[in-house]
Amino acid sequence: MKLGRLNHIGVATPSIEESLRYYRDTMGAVQITEPFDLPEQGVTVCFVDTPDSTGEVGKGTQIELIEPLGETSTLNTFMEKNPLGGQHHVCYEVEDIEEARHWFEGRGKRILGPTRIGAHGTPIFFLHPKDMMGQLTEIMETPKKDAH
Ligand SMILES: CC[C@H](C(=O)O)C(=O)SCCNC(=O)CCNC(=O)[C@H](O)C(C)(C)COP(=O)(O)OP(=O)(O)OC[C@H]1O[C@@H](n2cnc3c(N)ncnc32)[C@H](O)[C@@H]1OP(=O)(O)O
Ligand SMILES: [Co+2]
């Protein structure tokens, strides 16, 4: 397996509205999606697009803003330790999610739960931060070109 594209950086926040204002008004973001709830993951999410190397917005690495949703959100423990939020996870793309799963299992890395569909609508899994140099790491299958 080779290191794939950095698809997004997951950034936890106590207030997605405040974070949206920050990225728009302080950082000059020009393309931000509407927030949407993922109740099964216990988060409200939205994406801030950053320009790619040509300066085009929409194809570059995204900031994935995540706010806890509900009492049982996985994010609540993180927010207790980091009340202002901050960098939560990194997400790399792979061509084949099952091949990637075998790769990491073969290297003794703990995979957190089953492969499932993530916020981009493609299969993902998470790897435990303690096995990944301290970084909670999301692995995501690259969206197929003809995906609509
Ligand atoms: C946008 C939707 C997206 C998707 O599904 O597509 C998401 O939902 S992302 C947000 C929520 N989902 C997840 O984070 C799934 C994976 N996370 C987990 O399974 C847990 O959060 C886990 C196992 C990483 C940590 O579990 P928990 O928080 O309950 O336990 P601890 O607080 O005791 O953490 C154990 C140990 O890990 C350190 N830790 C926790 N979170 C992080 C982090 N984000 N980055 C780095 N390190 C982290 C924590 O400090 C503990 O270390 P210790 O030295 O023992 O204090
Ligand atoms: Co993510």
Side-chain angles (χ1 to χ4, degrees), residues 8 10 12 36 38 40-47 64-67 73-82 86-90 112-113 116-122 124-130 133-138:
H8 65 267
F36 58 97
L38 286 177
E40 67 282 4
Q41 303 310 330
V43 291
T44 299
V45 201
C46 81
F47 293 101
E64 178 184 84
L65 290 172
I66 44 179
E67 177 188 322
S73 172
T74 317
L75 224 37
N76 286 328
T77 317
F78 181 87
M79 295 305 296
E80 282 159 21
K81 294 184 178 175
N82 308 275
Q87 194 268 330
H88 178 263
H89 65 272
V90 290
L112 300 163
R116 59 178 168 81
I117 300 301
H120 288 80
T122 65
I124 67 155
F125 59 78
F126 280 91
L127 293 152
H128 199 290
K130 294 297 181 192
M133 303 299 286
Q135 281 271 3
L136 176 59
T137 301
E138 180 181 347

Side-chain angles (χ1 to χ4, degrees), residues 44-55:
T44 299
V45 201
C46 81
F47 293 101
V48 179
D49 282 312
T50 73
D52 66 9
S53 55
T54 68

Side-chain angles (χ1 to χ4, degrees), residues 12-13 32 89 121 131 137:
T13 175
I32 304 176
H89 65 272
D131 299 342
T137 301

